[in-house]
Amino acid sequence: MERAPAKGVLSHLSLLEVQARSRKSQLQQQSRVMELKAKVEALKTQREQLKAQIQTHQDLQKLRLAMEKQCADEEEENMEEESENSQLLRLMARHTQLKDLLHAHHLIGGYDIIKTRKGKGACVSIATAYEDVFLDTFNLEIDLKPTVKINRHNIPPFIPLNNLAEQNNMQTDLRVFLDTLSQHLNAFAGRKQQLKLVKEKHKSVEVMESNVLCSLLVLLFTVPREKTAVLCTLDYTDHTRCLPTRVHLESEDKQLPDSPQWEKNCSLLMETPVHKALITMKKMGSIV
Amino acid sequence: MEKMSDENTEEVKVLEAEIERLQAEVEALQRQQQENNKDITFHYRGQMENALAFMCGQRQEGGKEMVMSRLKEEVEELEEDVKLQTEINGITLNSCTTKTLQNSGRKLVQQLSLSGNCSELVFQVEFQFSEIKDSERSKRTIGDLNVVLDSSDLQNFSSFLSR
């Protein structure tokens, strides 16, 4: 007797459970549908964005090409059909052109200069290079008003910055001052690079002494066969040059420095960058 | 109730297929954009970024006028910079076309074509510029130099070129 109602209750309960589950799964499916619809909309928006960016890029490229042609050929500006945003597009193209010109100035060497603090100052970068390779860059922060004064810089202390500034009338001709400074810096970079190459490529040659300015170099050569030692001093007293002003040789063999072969080597060292001179000297059998 | 669930499954399938299609489209467009981005001429920063966003339909504060006027300010600053740079280098550049041949993370190779004048000398220069960055420094080299001059002074110049 109790069974009949229990069955009824149980089966009712299980019916309710089935209904609840199916409603849940229905809700899940509906929210899944909504989720997917949202994702479709998001992807569509992303696609339209990308298309617009790519289109703008193409339009700018076309416009730039026309602009460069105009500049090079000095043609009259021809008015293309004005679209709604063509003024903005032209402005954007001009922006890229100016940026490119600055990049080109940067590459053709010379000095990079940026105005700071509303024209009261400037940052100048001087690049150094030796044998087709760019080396360190040096920077100066200069006050332009009221007087031309160097504020901050990363130029090594052994370069006589203040002397150069005074001697070259930095106040009146910034360009001349920078030219001289650049000469000193480039020569220094060149000498430093030569020293680096000697250490790297000529392990049989010992570097006995060098200084931070790389204006003095003392090398120890070994003569093949007899294994005589030759001490070679290179003085670079002209700091605007990468070649020595004086070459001095000393050896246990007192005759050696005056021999024709070594007189030749002496001239070679005066006229050729040291790392290259050493290659020749090795080839000629003068040194090991 | 089961019928509704069938319809739902159908709709889900259709939507999933559309999503797959759209994702493929977006990926293709992203690849194209990556190619475009290799050209450093068209790197958008600052006001250019805002201008680009505006061109792509995104609302910008102040609308078109604001975008234009801010960009104009930046363009005027750049014009000042170019003028200054021209003064300090003593070289006037009139046109500059660059073609980026390679731009991976470490290596940049560009083909540049410049025309301009220096004092009275009018010139056209083309060269290839490579920059390789490693951990501490970047190595920059210039190659394939080609110079076109209006020429009376060629002799002095050819010795410079051969260096």
Side-chain angles (χ1 to χ4, degrees), chain B residues 84-97:
Chain B
L84 193 57
Q85 195 66 79
T86 304
E87 253 176 64
I88 201 109
N89 282 348
I91 298 180
T92 308
L93 291 177
N94 294 327
S95 83
C96 164
T97 35

Side-chain angles (χ1 to χ4, degrees), chain B residues 64-120:
Chain B
K64 190 168 173 180
E65 286 82 40
M66 205 43 146
V67 171
M68 289 268 310
S69 85
R70 286 217 184 110
L71 188 59
K72 196 145 193 278
E73 249 176 62
E74 220 176 78
V75 165
E76 280 165 7
E77 271 172 31
L78 286 173
E79 284 176 342
E80 279 297 308
D81 285 342
V82 170
K83 223 164 95 187
L84 193 57
Q85 195 66 79
T86 304
E87 253 176 64
I88 201 109
N89 282 348
I91 298 180
T92 308
L93 291 177
N94 294 327
S95 83
C96 164
T97 35
T98 55
K99 194 165 143 194
T100 303
L101 299 176
Q102 188 184 348
N103 188 1
S104 68
R106 276 183 56 221
K107 189 166 179 189
L108 170 69
V109 180
Q110 287 182 304
Q111 182 78 34
L112 285 106
S113 195
L114 308 172
S115 81
N117 60 277
C118 179
S119 298
E120 288 157 17

Side-chain angles (χ1 to χ4, degrees), chain A residues 85-132:
Chain A
N85 286 324
S86 64
Q87 228 190 347
L88 180 57
L89 212 56
R90 241 196 293 272
L91 201 54
M92 287 174 81
R94 174 73 175 146
H95 193 283
T96 66
Q97 186 186 43
L98 291 167
K99 277 249 142 124
D100 274 355
L101 286 175
L102 286 172
H103 180 58
H105 269 283
H106 176 67
L107 290 182
I108 61 181
Y111 316 113
D112 281 350
I113 184 163
I114 316 175
K115 273 216 169 111
T116 59
R117 290 177 293 119
K118 307 205 189 293
K120 296 213 203 102
C123 273
V124 183
S125 288
I126 302 180
T128 59
Y130 187 68
E131 288 185 342
D132 301 339

